[in-house]
Amino acid sequence: MGPPSSSGFYVSRAVALLLAGLVAALLLALAVLAALYGHCERVPPSELPGLRDSEAKSSPPLRQKPTPTPKPSSARELAVTTTPSNWRPPGPWDQLHLPPWLVPLHYDLELWPQLRPDELPAGSLPFTGRVNITVRCTVATSRLLLHSLFQDCERAEVRGPLSPVGRVPVDDVWFALDTEYMVLELSEPLKPGSSYELQLSFSGLVNEDLREGLFLNVYTDQGERRALLASQLEPTFARYVFPCFDEPALKATFNITMIHHPSYVALSNMPKLGQSEKEDVNGSKWTVTTFSTTPHMPTYLVAFVICDYDHVNRTERGKEIRIWARKDAIANGSADYALNITGPIFSFLEDLFNISYSLPKTDIIALPSFDNRAMENWGLMIFDESGLLLEPKDQLTEKKTLISYVVSHEIGHQWFGNLVTMNWWNNIWLNEGFASYFEFEVINYFNPKLPRNEIFFSNILHNILREDHALVTRAVAMKVENFKTSEIQELFDIFTYSKGASMARMLSCFLNEHLFVSALKTYLKTFSYSNAEQDDLWRHFQMAIDDQSTVILPATIKNIMDNWTHQSGFPVITLNVSTGVMKQEPFYLENIKNRTLLTSNDTWIVPILWMKNGTTQPLVWLDQSSKVFPEMQVSDSDHDWVILNLNMTGYYRVNYDKLGWKKLNQQLEKDPKVRLRFLSVCVFKSNRNNYIEIETALELTKYLAEEDEIIVWHTVLVNLVTRDLVSEVNIYDIYSLLKRYLLKRLNLIWNIYSTIIRENVLALQDDYLALISLEKLFVTACWLGLEDCLQLSKELFAKWVDHPENEIPYPIKDVVLCYGIALGSDKEWDILLNAYTNTTNKEEKIQLAYAMSCSKDPWILNRYMEYAISTSPFTSNETNIIEVVAASEVGRYVAKDFLVNNWQAVSKRYGTQSLINLIYTIGRTITTDLQIVELQQFFSNMLEEHQRIRVHANLQTIKNENLKNKKLSARMAAWLRRNT
């Protein structure tokens, strides 16, 4: 197809559906005929013919065009077309980067969402807007590209050159939907070096179901149903709200105006500048709120909120901080904790970087529902309530600490991301990795008694080491820049956040904290209000290193760090303590003997922080695949031992020869406090990947009778008492063997925490590690049949039943409710059903739904499932009751029998995917092909052919994994027999 027609064509909803079935030649003919009908309405990509599913799957459904704002009589009528890629010639609109022809300097943006308190929206809400964008032309062009999606263009003009003021006629406006561009065809080219103003009027819809661009929250406050409007523009959703140059390097200043109902308050990045009144065509009065000019910033940081909220406020170093929330939440003090910590966090980071916070105010708002958890918008941070508000009942949860972490993370972004922004999304870790690292530094500063290394391991390192390996295709910093928008969104993952934070922590540790912060100070100062790339960061670290002589590195920072950030996975470092030979190899999910030797591209320059005989040694570097360190050899003496990667500051795993492990095991048994606690944790993880023998891992648990750190117990139990193991309780007598072995060692840690629960449970409220670890200790002790655990569960359950104000301590509430049902009868079960019926709290409903599945009585579980598919109160889909029941040992068989006569009702209630999930849940212990055949025959009439094929392949994977676990369990059982 040739270039878009200058007159455009009209595409209505019905025509769009009709066109989908016609051949290309007929499409062209219809397009010419349709031009007679005038103005074009936007058609979402999912309804355009020829567009692949992958290009359309994230698009919202076709929407009715809102009534546009009246156009000034001087505005030229424009024909606007929408063109998928197979309807247009090749051009700059096919590229994923904007062409460098225009540089945005300033936006004057006005938005008018039609939100009224007396007419709450039912799903969607129209809005109109105008934006004037001042740009500088760098290359002569008569074709302008900027981002715009899901908007209708009502008017487009180009004014300029601005000195003197001129005008450039706009001949055509069309949209390249797949690359999300608005294209303006001009009658004459713009002049390089001159400035112009793009004047655009547009309209669109706010959708309650989406959490991208502008979105709605409908909620209840003070007993009334209310609505608010908020924005989420990161990473590429500003284009959903207004036409713009939606790339992080294209920073500009913004003057924002919001038109809203007088009963609402409008918030944006900057302080309110003024207010006036406006009357619409129907005579209704609206408030026009204008805001001060922003600093230079990317479009993704622009933020808007229109709400009926209250706030609390304080001043920190002359700048106002306001926390906004539902009026009920403000009245009961739920926002006070966030308010009290926000100012000191700002002050700490200002002092640390010697750079003041740039804006005159900070608003932080808690939304009833916000999928992104939190967003760092400059001057207007947006949070989900769960990450900001602390209710009185939350004292015995980890929520207080979690709020501190989330708030610290978002405030960290005011420097890493807002002040200095990555040049493109492939370096998003420069934002998220450093914000994640400094959230821990902030909390450690204000809570010096917290064990910083243990918390970083528990929250960050543990999770990323479980996901990362040599065969993943994801590196921290991606070399490819041509990401599709869907691929950009996928970059906000555990690799960006947790691996990025781990890179920053390792860098800080092998330099030192002073050198690390000094380099960041110059980096932040140099690139303030601008953009940076990874190499810019390395350059500033190198400058700091070159200015001193204490820290000596084996290579430049760039050479050291590029392999860590550009290469997927991480190394396993193996030390032979007999010879002092240390080698590195990429870590794989499963270590296979005789794997191809690593190439030079697979090596890392590895900092080794190590200890010998209880004394920390000077840092050494493994900068090749293998190297001899004579100083790491040990003798036969019981007092001679070596451990690598102290405090797990390096991003790698460690292995030793048999003598090395034997020495460490002896040391643990002699002195478990010698900073080796996480050794057993790492061993269990390496064992599961076949790097270390299971017997070696188990040897390192012998000392646990002396271990009183609950975080160590938690991580050991998570890796030892797995779901797979629980499912195999009758295989090789492993349950009885584990029971004897572990109960003997659990006494010390159990007595400590059972006493606290009975005598002064509030003592746990500031013990973050206990709050996140206690549940696993409690559930394991009860599963092993520890009489005191079962008795304590019954006591707490009975007290709560008799007097609901005697709340079960939150960290163990799930366990207590479960064992209250498991040890009880239908009487206790009916009590929970009644509680489920009467509560409106979603989290509590989920807790109670899971607890009711703990019954050991088949008839109760069968009745539970019948209730789930037929009656209230199980009418909402927050919990799939059938899957919950099937996950228990008794319930697995009951659920299978239940499906014989009820699978259609289950499918109707929970969907076909639920049946597939149930196959995997019921078949989670299969170990033979015969079991697979039997299971498939059972479910055959419930599934389509393509589903049966997929299920068969997945069941084979489950079988193979179970066979591997079965062999491992046999070896565990043999070891336990020898050591019990």
Side-chain angles (χ1 to χ4, degrees):
M1 179 180 176
S5 165
S6 61
S7 59
F9 58 85
Y10 175 80
V11 182
S12 68
R13 181 184 302 215
V15 173
L17 294 172
L18 176 63
L19 292 180
L22 301 179
V23 296
L26 183 57
L27 287 173
L28 292 174
L30 287 174
V32 174
L33 293 172
L36 300 172
Y37 291 91
H39 219 59
C40 165
E41 179 166 302
R42 173 186 48 74
V43 181
S46 59
E47 306 232 357
L48 287 169
L51 201 61
R52 298 188 305 273
D53 287 345
S54 61
E55 294 170 322
K57 65 182 180 182
S58 63
S59 304
L62 186 66
R63 310 189 297 205
Q64 291 292 341
K65 181 176 179 179
T67 303
T69 49
K71 300 181 207 173
S73 58
S74 60
R76 182 173 180 267
E77 286 288 334
L78 287 174
V80 184
T81 65
T82 56
T83 64
S85 58
N86 59 344
W87 289 6
R88 62 176 187 254
W93 40 80
D94 297 318
Q95 303 303 310
L96 298 175
H97 273 291
L98 282 164
W101 306 335
L102 300 179
V103 177
L105 304 175
H106 178 75
Y107 293 77
D108 279 304
L109 174 63
E110 175 188 282
L111 290 178
W112 188 351
Q114 308 293 310
L115 182 64
R116 296 177 174 88
D118 53 344
E119 296 178 20
L120 294 186
S124 61
L125 178 80
F127 74 91
T128 57
R130 298 183 299 175
V131 63
N132 296 341
I133 312 174
T134 304
V135 300
R136 184 176 67 251
C137 178
T138 60
V139 177
T141 178
S142 59
R143 186 173 272 150
L144 310 185
L145 272 71
L146 64 163
H147 289 107
S148 179
L149 191 65
F150 308 137
Q151 297 148 28
D152 295 310
C153 179
E154 312 292 351
R155 169 179 168 270
E157 293 190 56
V158 177
R159 301 284 185 179
L162 295 181
S163 181
V165 176
R167 180 174 176 272
V168 181
V170 180
D171 289 340
D172 192 13
V173 177
W174 57 278
F175 292 87
L177 290 175
D178 51 330
T179 46
E180 304 180 355
Y181 290 135
M182 169 191 283
V183 183
L184 278 65
E185 305 279 3
L186 309 183
S187 63
E188 60 189 63
L190 305 186
K191 299 175 182 178
S194 296
S195 294
Y196 296 83
E197 186 175 78
L198 315 183
Q199 299 181 350
L200 304 165
S201 297
F202 53 92
S203 59
L205 285 180
V206 183
N207 200 308
E208 184 182 355
D209 296 330
L210 300 179
R211 291 295 182 265
E212 301 163 349
L214 285 177
F215 63 90
L216 289 164
N217 264 195
V218 177
Y219 62 99
T220 300
D221 192 13
Q222 296 181 323
E224 297 179 359
R225 189 170 176 267
R226 299 179 183 179
L228 62 79
L229 179 144
S231 64
Q232 169 61 28
L233 305 190
E234 187 183 35
T236 58
F237 305 133
R239 64 194 69 175
Y240 289 20
V241 182
F242 60 100
C244 58
F245 297 85
D246 200 11
E247 294 184 359
L250 298 178
K251 291 188 171 184
T253 54
F254 293 79
N255 277 1
I256 293 170
T257 299
M258 299 292 291
I259 303 175
H260 56 95
H261 192 275
S263 65
Y264 290 124
V265 63
L267 303 172
S268 189
N269 304 81
M270 298 298 288
K272 180 175 67 176
L273 185 62
Q275 278 190 331
S276 60
E277 190 177 84
K278 181 184 182 74
E279 191 173 288
D280 65 18
V281 293
N282 299 317
S284 299
K285 297 285 196 298
W286 296 82
T287 297
V288 180
T289 300
T290 58
F291 299 90
S292 299
T293 306
T294 71
H296 276 86
M297 66 182 196
T299 48
Y300 80 81
L301 289 177
V302 174
F304 329 94
V305 170
I306 294 175
C307 64
D308 181 16
Y309 265 16
D310 274 349
H311 71 274
V312 290
N313 66 297
R314 64 176 284 177
T315 299
E316 183 79 13
R317 295 184 174 178
K319 298 181 179 182
E320 187 175 31
I321 296 168
R322 299 184 295 186
I323 310 290
W324 297 81
R326 289 175 295 103
K327 295 180 178 182
D328 281 341
I330 294 295
N332 70 19
S334 297
D336 293 349
Y337 178 70
L339 180 68
N340 291 335
I341 65 173
T342 297
I345 294 172
F346 267 110
S347 295
F348 168 72
L349 291 175
E350 284 183 333
D351 294 340
L352 183 67
F353 300 128
N354 197 28
I355 299 175
S356 296
Y357 173 61
S358 306
L359 273 61
K361 64 90 177 177
T362 296
D363 284 313
I364 302 178
I365 187 164
L367 302 190
S369 177
F370 185 48
D371 293 349
N372 292 73
R373 192 171 80 156
M375 177 62 201
E376 67 267 18
N377 309 304
W378 224 352
L380 177 53
M381 290 183 268
I382 298 178
F383 284 66
D384 187 271
E385 283 187 354
S386 63
L388 191 69
L389 302 184
L390 185 72
E391 299 181 28
K393 69 180 180 63
D394 292 328
Q395 292 300 321
L396 268 180
T397 73
E398 66 274 24
K399 195 170 181 181
K400 192 174 182 180
T401 305
L402 293 179
I403 290 172
S404 300
Y405 281 121
V406 179
V407 171
S408 298
H409 181 99
E410 304 310 323
I411 295 176
H413 272 306
Q414 310 308 301
W415 286 265
F416 294 97
N418 297 8
L419 184 65
V420 178
T421 310
M422 75 280 145
N423 199 52
W424 185 245
W425 299 106
N426 61 321
N427 277 316
I428 184 61
W429 86 274
L430 297 178
N431 286 19
E432 299 298 349
F434 279 89
S436 297
Y437 171 76
F438 276 105
E439 73 183 69
F440 289 90
E441 293 302 293
V442 168
I443 301 306
N444 290 331
Y445 175 80
F446 288 107
N447 302 275
K449 292 183 179 179
L450 283 176
R452 59 188 297 171
N453 293 311
E454 286 86 342
I455 289 181
F456 190 91
F457 178 87
S458 175
N459 287 18
I460 297 289
L461 199 56
H462 167 267
N463 297 318
I464 183 60
L465 288 178
R466 189 172 54 191
E467 298 292 328
D468 201 9
H469 57 90
L471 298 181
V472 298
T473 57
R474 180 73 166 88
V476 171
M478 305 293 283
K479 293 181 180 179
V480 179
E481 290 195 13
N482 290 325
F483 293 111
K484 295 179 181 178
T485 52
S486 60
E487 293 171 327
I488 291 172
Q489 296 170 45
E490 292 169 1
L491 294 175
F492 290 79
D493 61 9
I494 191 172
F495 293 92
T496 290
Y497 287 79
S498 296
K499 189 169 182 178
S502 301
M503 294 298 100
R505 179 171 177 252
M506 182 169 69
L507 187 58
S508 171
C509 289
F510 74 68
L511 297 175
N512 58 55
E513 190 70 19
H514 173 73
L515 197 58
F516 179 74
V517 172
S518 295
L520 290 177
K521 284 181 181 178
T522 64
Y523 165 78
L524 291 170
K525 205 170 288 289
T526 300
F527 294 100
S528 290
Y529 307 104
S530 185
N531 296 79
E533 297 180 344
Q534 179 174 277
D535 280 354
D536 297 318
L537 180 67
W538 299 157
R539 192 157 43 249
H540 279 266
F541 273 107
Q542 193 62 50
M543 289 162 50
I545 292 164
D546 293 343
D547 283 345
Q548 53 84 56
S549 58
T550 304
V551 176
I552 308 297
L553 302 180
T556 65
I557 278 288
K558 177 175 171 58
N559 286 341
I560 292 171
M561 294 303 299
D562 269 0
N563 266 15
W564 292 98
T565 59
H566 285 313
Q567 189 168 301
S568 63
F570 58 88
V572 177
I573 308 300
T574 302
L575 174 65
N576 186 313
V577 299
S578 300
T579 62
V581 173
M582 186 188 299
K583 67 176 183 177
Q584 62 167 295
E585 58 182 333
F587 175 81
Y588 292 89
L589 280 181
E590 184 170 2
N591 188 30
I592 299 174
K593 306 299 182 187
N594 303 318
R595 188 187 293 275
T596 303
L597 294 177
L598 75 168
T599 67
S600 58
N601 292 330
D602 293 320
T603 59
W604 291 262
I605 302 177
V606 186
I608 308 291
L609 182 62
W610 63 295
M611 172 184 283
K612 187 170 187 178
N613 304 337
T615 303
T616 302
Q617 304 295 314
L619 180 77
V620 298
W621 292 85
L622 179 61
D623 53 3
Q624 53 201 48
S625 59
S626 181
K627 196 172 182 179
V628 179
F629 293 92
E631 65 271 32
M632 294 188 185
Q633 290 178 271
V634 299
S635 67
D636 292 335
S637 168
D638 290 346
H639 304 290
D640 211 8
W641 53 274
V642 170
I643 185 169
L644 307 182
N645 201 15
L646 278 184
N647 299 318
M648 294 197 70
T649 55
Y651 188 72
Y652 52 88
R653 295 186 190 274
V654 172
N655 195 7
Y656 305 89
D657 63 345
K658 288 185 177 181
L659 179 60
W661 284 121
K662 179 182 177 183
K663 292 282 188 179
L664 291 174
N665 185 41
Q666 290 172 345
Q667 193 59 33
L668 273 173
E669 291 184 343
K670 288 179 185 175
D671 184 5
K673 300 295 183 186
V674 71
R675 297 168 66 188
L676 307 181
R677 292 190 180 111
F678 280 103
L679 193 60
S680 55
V681 174
C682 308
V683 173
F684 271 105
K685 292 183 180 301
S686 297
N687 155 68
R688 294 201 169 274
N689 304 104
N690 206 28
Y691 282 89
I692 297 172
E693 301 296 333
I694 182 62
E695 293 81 3
T696 301
L698 289 168
E699 286 290 335
L700 290 165
T701 65
K702 289 181 175 179
Y703 89 99
L704 285 173
E706 305 300 322
E707 181 59 78
D708 60 2
E709 291 288 344
I710 193 169
I711 185 63
V712 179
W713 267 106
H714 171 262
T715 319
V716 170
L717 293 176
V718 163
N719 287 280
L720 181 60
V721 186
T722 63
R723 178 177 174 177
D724 293 331
L725 187 70
V726 171
S727 298
E728 298 177 19
V729 293
N730 296 317
I731 299 177
Y732 304 107
D733 298 323
I734 198 164
Y735 173 75
S736 60
L737 292 167
L738 258 182
K739 179 175 180 176
R740 289 203 301 273
Y741 183 78
L742 285 178
L743 288 185
K744 184 177 176 183
R745 287 161 175 78
L746 274 167
N747 279 332
L748 175 62
I749 194 72
W750 172 259
N751 288 337
I752 291 171
Y753 284 96
S754 62
T755 300
I756 292 174
I757 290 169
R758 283 188 168 102
E759 296 180 0
N760 184 21
V761 70
L762 289 177
L764 296 174
Q765 62 183 328
D766 294 319
D767 190 343
Y768 174 71
L769 291 179
L771 292 173
I772 65 172
S773 304
L774 193 56
E775 181 180 31
K776 185 61 180 179
L777 173 68
F778 208 88
V779 72
T780 303
C782 284
W783 175 71
L784 292 171
L786 181 63
E787 188 56 40
D788 191 50
C789 182
L790 299 174
Q791 183 59 38
L792 182 54
S793 295
K794 286 191 281 189
E795 289 173 11
L796 293 171
F797 185 86
K799 286 180 181 178
W800 173 73
V801 167
D802 292 340
H803 301 284
E805 65 275 12
N806 292 328
E807 290 196 11
I808 301 167
Y810 183 87
I812 58 172
K813 186 173 182 179
D814 288 347
V815 186
V816 170
L817 289 175
C818 183
Y819 276 92
I821 294 299
L823 300 172
S825 64
D826 59 327
K827 175 186 173 184
E828 285 75 19
W829 197 93
D830 288 340
I831 290 170
L832 256 62
L833 176 63
N834 186 57
Y836 181 97
T837 305
N838 292 324
T839 185
T840 58
N841 183 288
K842 184 177 179 180
E843 181 182 5
E844 190 174 357
K845 274 188 175 293
I846 293 172
Q847 276 187 322
L848 294 168
Y850 275 87
M852 285 187 282
S853 73
C854 294
S855 175
K856 303 295 185 184
D857 292 325
W859 73 270
I860 292 179
L861 294 176
N862 198 74
R863 184 182 68 173
Y864 189 19
M865 291 185 288
E866 286 177 352
Y867 286 169
I869 63 172
S870 60
T871 63
S872 179
F874 303 102
T875 51
S876 61
N877 279 318
E878 67 258 353
T879 307
N880 187 317
I881 303 301
I882 314 301
E883 289 183 21
V884 170
V885 170
S888 70
E889 287 311 300
V890 176
R892 185 192 337 176
Y893 305 103
V894 179
K896 185 178 178 182
D897 291 342
F898 182 80
L899 284 171
V900 172
N901 297 316
N902 298 284
W903 69 268
Q904 290 174 316
V906 171
S907 180
K908 181 179 179 181
R909 172 73 174 80
Y910 294 112
T912 306
Q913 182 59 43
S914 174
L915 295 175
I916 296 173
N917 295 341
L918 281 166
I919 295 174
Y920 303 145
T921 302
I922 293 170
R924 62 184 178 271
T925 61
I926 57 174
T927 55
T928 67
D929 289 333
L930 179 59
Q931 289 173 315
I932 292 178
V933 170
E934 289 175 347
L935 201 57
Q936 284 194 292
Q937 287 176 345
F938 179 80
F939 280 95
S940 61
N941 64 329
M942 306 179 196
L943 303 177
E944 302 291 338
E945 178 61 26
H946 70 281
Q947 293 171 326
R948 286 195 286 267
I949 293 171
R950 189 170 85 245
V951 165
H952 179 80
N954 289 338
L955 287 175
Q956 285 289 345
T957 301
I958 293 172
K959 181 200 79 172
N960 293 335
E961 188 66 25
N962 286 342
L963 286 172
K964 187 173 77 172
N965 290 335
K966 190 173 181 180
K967 292 177 181 177
L968 194 66
S969 297
R971 290 172 60 188
M972 283 181 63
W975 186 91
L976 288 168
R977 287 190 191 95
R978 293 194 302 270
N979 291 275
T980 300

